[in-house]
Every structure is written in structure tokens, then in C-alpha cells.
Amino acid sequence: MILLVIDTSAIASAAIIRWHEDEPWGAVLAQFATEDTKSHAEVLAPGIDALLLEQELSGSDIDRIVVGVGPGPFTGLRSGIATARALAFAWSTPLAGLMSLDAIAWDVLAGARPPASEFVVATDARRREVYWARYSARGVLLEGPHVAHPDALPALPVYGAGGGIYREKLEAADAVVVGEFESAQPTAASLGLAAVERLARGEELLDTAPRYLRESDAKVPGPRKRAL
Amino acid sequence: MKEPLVLGIESSCDETGVGIVRGTRLLANTVSSSMDEHVRFGGVIPEIASRAHLDAMVPTLAEALETAGVTLADVDALAVTSGPGLAGALMVGVCAAKALAVATGKPLYAINHLVAHVGVGLLDGGVYGGELPEDLGALLVSGGHTEVLRVRNIASDVELLGSTIDDAAGEAYDKVARLLGLGYPGGPAIDRLAKDGDPRAFRFPRGLTQPKYMGSPESPGPHRYDWSFSGLKTAVARCVEQHEAAGKPVPVADIAASFQEAVVDVVTSKAILACREHGLRNLLLGGGVAANSRLRELTAERCAAAGISLAVPPFSLCTDNGAMVAALAARVIMDGRSPSELSFAPDSSLPVTTVSA
Ligand SMILES: [Zn+2]
């Protein structure tokens, strides 16, 4: 089975993953990821095009599309979901979502020193806030995703770029920023491997509704003040 | 390609549009609007519009294909509005269009929204029917833009003669409607109410009409064909306040009529001036405010007096839609121009000189 995975919750990334349905792991055949968090609309489609070309795959070879549904900054997040939905429509390919922070949680568990305790994954939510979620030591999502000021996070090890950016505030709140992960972002490759694990366990993935976690900021104007 | 089958996507403001044309023949024009979601805010909220685009895109696409009775595989080329417009809103259409290009391998054309408003004139039944006249000017008036263009070759040579330097005319309507307690969108409400009012009751300012802005034909001032509506809005607010302060009822219909007259007078007089001084003998009126009865009336009157022929496309093609994007792209293709690179970026302030990126 071939999966095309896309995530634009922070950086823009895509990956092609091969998976035998009775196994809880997959193989990343090809992937790309940007460093910046602002060029999604430019780079994503050419990036996916190049992956398909490199792997000599066409739409009919893709069995399933998985897209990160955030949380993430609105415009970037939508780029990936709009892309995934349009590809799925054009190819009539099944499409599902997965929470983007799960990608970093997967990296944490797969890393050299997986945590012995519960842990937190945090990414940059801008406006001095982080997107975060709490996981068990085995990587099961316990709480979140939320958006909050860093000082509201639990006193646990923090993985992800949100930790690096808000190190002082997190440490003041007794959280521990894990150095190796202080600039880690969700990637499509890891998200895809997390998806494979779920699917192998017989778990459902999510729909593709974006997890914005914030309202649109629009304010209903108050009644106009009348001149007296 | 002689008569390319083109699918066009529009998402620059609050309408998600997908249109399909074959050459100059319109096959589908499907639009999903988020206007109702903006009513309580009294204007388009970009983030709400962007969220709505994401959810409307695939259903609108599916419906347009069904209406046209074609499949994506039949389509010869894809097109999408790449600007100008709201950045976050443009992004949704651009990403969807690029994904369709990747999925199908079809060429993709990044299209200028403003020029596309003129491009509808190419459609059969879109007033000019296949071939645009020479000496063509376009007056575009909507909630997002107010411009007068000169169109030498719609696929390659378009020039901006004048535009608003602050609010769009439709935006001024929305703000004044709010001042008068008329709700959103303001255009239709004011147009309706103005019929019961006296357009000469109040003399509201016509922005940028003083000699220092206008100059002369030989030595044009800095804003000869430009508009400004912020002073007009302030003048209306002051008028309302004066009545309230004096404890008098606000003459809403008279204010609506006088405001509308000020907008329509200055919009048409400058547009006609631009046409006359550039030898443009044909004018296309487009944009959502083209539905305004007084704007249509006065434009027709002044065009007739100046010997300019006026064309107004059907309303469904005046407001933002995907058919205009497809229509313009079809012409760009028939002119033999190359498709866009997949890496193009949406540009919220794309100049009209860039017809196709
Ligand atoms: Zn428009």
C-alpha cells in the first residue's frame, strides 16, 4: 500500500510511504521538507510533483492520502489541507487526517532516548503562544491539542520547536525543554509513520477538518454611538 | 489550441467560484458565497472567507464539473486567480488548482482577477461574444476594487488608468449603510432606499476632483482618474451626527440618495474622462456594484453623451466567479502563451499589467 502524506502545520512537507497492511511500520520511500514556515503555497505542489516523478508513481498508485490537520497557523495549515483534498478529489483516493503534533511524538518515541514519563509536544503558535499536547510515555495522546501561553504547560519534558522558542518561560514553569528536539517540527514522513501505526492497530484516523484552535479574530462591531 | 476546455478557480474574496468554458462558450459557473457569514461583522472578514473557501472548494468543483458534463480528464487546462485579492483567500484556490495540476498533469495558468472581470466580455452571451472591441476601457466597481482600465490586448496588454486610493466604492457603501443602520451588504440596501430620497438634499464631497489633483489633459495632476471615498464616508457620518445632536430625525433616504449620487457621479465622470482622453470608445462595466441601478443609469447616460458604447455583462458574470478566470485563460491559451510554473506565488497586489503570471 502506498501512502502520500502531507503536513503544513509549521513547515511544508510531504512523503511517500510504503506499508504492508499487517505490519505496524512503514518505509519512507521519498520525502521533502522546507525549513521555513511561509512558502507553503509555492513549494508544496512542485515538491509533491517531484516525489511522484522520482518514485515513478501516478495517481492511481496512491492508495491513501493522509494530511496533518494541525494545529498550526491558519494560512499555512490550509495550504496542505486544500492540496490534499484536491488531490483526493482528482484521484478519487481515500483521504484522512491526523493531528500534526503526533508526528513529533512519533519522532520522540523513535529517538535514541525515549522519555520515561509523560511528555509534552509543543510547536510555535505565534502571538507568544504554543500549540501543545500531552502524551503518555508510550506515545498515547492524553490531552490536547491546546493553544496556550507557555507558562500554562504542565511540568513535563517538552519536545518540539515550541520548547526552543519559549525555553525561559517553560523552565520558569518547571517544564524541561529537551535540547535535541528544541527546533523539531512536524514532518509528513513521521506523521505517515504514526498513521501506519494507528492503522495497523485498527484505529481510525481523523477527518480533514483543520484544527485551528483559535477563532477568526473577527469582532462584531458594537452599536454605533449616537451623538447626543 | 483552437477551443480549449478550461476550468477556472476563483477565491480572491468571499466567493468560491469554479467556472468551465470551451473557448468562448460558458459551460458552468458555480459559485459558493460566504457572504452570510460576514453579515454580522458588516464587512468581509478575511479569515472567515478563507475558512469558507477551504470547505467550499471541492464541492464547488464537483458541482461545476457535473453542470458542464465533463470530467477533469477532459479538461485541457486549469486556471486560477493568483491576485489581486485577500492573501489567505487566494492561497486556498491557488493550492487547490496546483494540486489539480499535479494530479492531472494539465497546464495551469495563474490569472489576474481584475483582467478576468473584463475577460467575461469574451464569452458568448457575455456582451461582446468572442472578440473584444478595439479601444476598450473597463470600469470595475465592487466591494474590493474600483478601477478604470485600458485594454489593448486582453491577453497581454492591459493598463491601469485610475483606481481608488483608499476604500473601494462597495466598501464605502457598506460603511455608510452601517452608519444608517441598513445592514450588510450596503449596496442593495442604499440603492433601494435612495429611490425614496432626494439626491440633491445634501452636497457630499467628490474626492480628488480639485484642480490640484486633476490637472489638465496636457498636464494631468497626480490623481486625474483616481478616486477617494474616505472623505465622503466622513462627511456622511458628520451629517448623521449633526441631525442627532440637534435632536432631529435622520433623513435616511435623503442621505442614502445623496451619498449614492456622490459616488456614482464621481465614479462615472472620471471613468468617462479617462475613456475620452485615451480614445476609448467602448466601455465594459463590471464588478458587483455594476448591479447598482443608479450606477448603470448614469454610466449609460454619460457614455451616450460621450459617444461611447457601454456593455454590462449579466450580473452572475459581474460578481466574482470562476467563469471569468476560465474565459480569460482560454484567450491567453488561444494567444499561444505558456502556462505558469507550478511554483508561482499568489500576489495580493498583483498589477493589472500582469495578465497571466
Ligand atoms: Zn472582483
Side-chain angles (χ1 to χ4, degrees), chain A residues 41-42 45-46 74-75 78-79 82-83 85-87 89-91 210 212 214 216 218-222 224 226-227, chain B residues 40-41 45 47-48 50-51 54-55 58 61-62 72 91 95-96 98-100 102-103 178-179 240-241 244 342-343 345:
Chain A
E42 291 98 299
F74 305 155
T75 300
R78 270 191 293 269
S79 313
T83 301
R85 287 182 182 176
L87 288 172
F89 172 77
W91 289 333
Y212 293 121
R214 280 182 181 137
S216 59
K219 288 201 176 58
V220 176
R224 193 177 57 83
R226 297 177 73 84
Chain B
R40 63 200 181 103
F41 303 104
I45 305 296
E47 176 58 21
I48 291 179
S50 303
R51 290 182 181 192
L54 179 64
D55 288 331
V58 167
L61 184 59
L72 275 178
M91 201 77 82
C95 285
K98 287 185 177 187
L100 294 181
V102 168
R178 196 173 125 59
L179 281 169
V240 171
E241 281 163 16
E244 286 173 347
L342 261 189
S343 57

Side-chain angles (χ1 to χ4, degrees), chain B residues 8-21:
Chain B
I9 295 177
E10 153 65 31
S11 72
S12 69
C13 191
D14 61 343
E15 327 271 8
T16 312
V18 178
I20 300 173
V21 307

Side-chain angles (χ1 to χ4, degrees), chain B residues 10 12-13 113-114 117 142 144-145 287-288 318-320 324:
Chain B
E10 153 65 31
S12 69
C13 191
H113 176 87
L114 294 176
H117 269 300
S142 78
H145 32 80
C318 279
T319 49
D320 292 348
M324 68 189 202

Side-chain angles (χ1 to χ4, degrees), chain A residues 4-228:
Chain A
L4 171 63
V5 192
I6 297 168
D7 188 275
T8 57
S9 62
I11 58 171
S13 61
I16 290 170
I17 289 178
R18 190 179 55 219
W19 170 47
H20 298 290
E21 270 173 78
D22 44 351
E23 294 171 353
W25 59 82
V28 179
L29 299 183
Q31 60 170 312
F32 88 91
T34 59
E35 300 219 329
D36 74 290
T37 57
K38 302 217 183 291
S39 58
H40 305 71
E42 291 98 299
V43 300
L44 188 59
I48 293 170
D49 203 37
L51 291 184
L52 295 170
L53 209 66
E54 177 200 314
Q55 294 296 312
E56 298 179 4
L57 295 170
S58 67
S60 55
D61 300 319
I62 307 291
D63 299 294
R64 193 188 260 270
I65 299 173
V66 177
V67 63
V69 293
F74 305 155
T75 300
L77 180 59
R78 270 191 293 269
S79 313
I81 298 175
T83 301
R85 287 182 182 176
L87 288 172
F89 172 77
W91 289 333
S92 304
T93 306
L95 169 68
L98 199 59
M99 208 264 282
S100 297
L101 300 180
D102 287 354
I104 296 179
W106 192 92
D107 289 333
V108 170
L109 272 284
R113 284 187 292 272
S117 68
E118 287 182 10
F119 65 96
V120 162
V121 171
T123 55
D124 184 15
R126 301 176 187 169
R127 300 187 221 167
R128 300 193 191 144
E129 292 187 312
V130 291
Y131 298 116
W132 70 279
R134 188 163 62 95
Y135 292 85
S136 76
R138 298 181 53 201
V140 177
L141 179 67
L142 299 177
E143 183 190 356
H146 302 299
V147 61
H149 285 279
D151 53 17
L153 266 58
L156 291 170
V158 177
Y159 295 80
I165 295 169
Y166 300 103
R167 175 183 289 277
E168 274 173 37
K169 283 196 170 160
L170 287 164
E171 288 177 347
D174 291 325
V176 182
V177 175
V178 179
E180 298 151 68
F181 279 82
E182 67 181 9
S183 56
Q185 301 279 29
T187 62
S190 302
L191 192 74
L193 295 172
V196 160
E197 234 175 45
R198 299 281 162 89
L199 292 168
R201 281 203 299 262
E203 287 175 31
E204 292 283 316
L205 302 184
L206 305 174
D207 61 28
T208 64
R211 272 48 172 185
Y212 293 121
L213 303 192
R214 280 182 181 137
E215 291 305 313
S216 59
D217 274 351
K219 288 201 176 58
V220 176
R224 193 177 57 83
K225 287 199 192 72
R226 297 177 73 84
L228 292 170

Side-chain angles (χ1 to χ4, degrees), chain B:
Chain B
M1 207 175 299
K2 208 160 156 7
E3 289 217 302
L5 183 66
V6 184
L7 182 147
I9 295 177
E10 153 65 31
S11 72
S12 69
C13 191
D14 61 343
E15 327 271 8
T16 312
V18 178
I20 300 173
V21 307
R22 190 185 295 282
T24 60
R25 199 148 51 84
L26 177 64
L27 303 183
N29 182 21
T30 308
V31 177
S32 164
S33 176
S34 61
M35 192 206 279
D36 292 346
E37 295 177 57
H38 304 288
V39 167
R40 63 200 181 103
F41 303 104
V44 173
I45 305 296
E47 176 58 21
I48 291 179
S50 303
R51 290 182 181 192
H53 283 307
L54 179 64
D55 288 331
M57 189 56 71
V58 167
T60 307
L61 184 59
E63 194 184 323
L65 287 165
E66 191 177 318
T67 304
V70 300
T71 65
L72 275 178
D74 301 330
V75 166
D76 295 311
L78 301 157
V80 65
T81 298
S82 62
L86 303 169
L90 288 167
M91 201 77 82
V92 177
V94 165
C95 285
K98 287 185 177 187
L100 294 181
V102 168
T104 60
K106 313 276 183 185
L108 172 62
Y109 292 78
I111 292 293
N112 186 302
H113 176 87
L114 294 176
V115 183
H117 269 300
V118 188
V120 291
L122 288 162
L123 292 170
D124 306 334
V127 300
Y128 291 124
E131 216 36 70
L132 294 180
E134 283 180 28
D135 315 322
L136 176 63
L139 171 60
L140 308 178
V141 193
S142 78
H145 32 80
T146 308
E147 286 94 12
V148 58
L149 313 180
R150 168 194 205 148
V151 183
R152 286 201 186 85
N153 177 336
I154 190 150
S156 62
D157 190 355
V158 180
E159 182 188 347
L160 182 70
L161 299 179
S163 68
T164 178
I165 61 165
D166 41 52
D167 292 346
E171 220 175 335
Y173 267 90
D174 291 336
K175 289 178 177 174
V176 165
R178 196 173 125 59
L179 281 169
L180 300 177
L182 299 177
Y184 174 86
I190 288 179
D191 196 12
R192 224 176 297 123
L193 197 61
K195 294 195 196 330
D196 303 324
D198 176 5
R200 283 174 303 271
F202 302 98
R203 173 75 196 175
F204 289 130
R206 275 69 167 157
L208 303 179
T209 52
Q210 300 95 313
K212 64 175 170 178
Y213 296 122
M214 298 296 291
S216 63
E218 299 72 37
S219 155
H223 295 296
R224 190 166 178 79
Y225 311 126
D226 291 336
W227 295 279
S228 163
F229 298 105
S230 64
L232 171 58
K233 182 196 66 192
T234 309
V236 172
R238 202 165 301 133
C239 177
V240 171
E241 281 163 16
Q242 277 164 3
H243 281 86
E244 286 173 347
K248 292 193 283 187
V250 178
V252 180
D254 285 348
I255 293 177
S258 301
F259 161 78
Q260 170 147 296
E261 198 58 23
V263 172
V264 167
D265 176 31
V266 74
V267 164
T268 53
S269 61
K270 287 209 174 201
I272 304 284
L273 184 68
C275 288
R276 286 209 337 250
E277 293 184 356
H278 288 84
L280 305 174
R281 288 172 310 129
N282 300 280
L283 182 68
L284 179 138
L285 176 63
V289 182
N292 182 283
S293 65
R294 182 62 186 142
L295 178 64
R296 294 172 84 116
E297 186 179 80
L298 195 58
T299 311
E301 199 180 300
R302 289 182 170 171
C303 277
I308 296 168
S309 91
L310 173 67
V312 190
F315 183 59
S316 63
L317 293 173
C318 279
T319 49
D320 292 348
N321 64 83
M324 68 189 202
V325 179
L328 177 53
R331 170 51 54 102
V332 167
I333 293 164
M334 289 187 276
D335 254 39
R337 283 165 208 283
S338 317
S340 309
E341 299 286 335
L342 261 189
S343 57
F344 75 84
D347 180 352
S348 55
S349 52
L350 189 70
V352 296
T353 43
T354 307
V355 175
S356 171

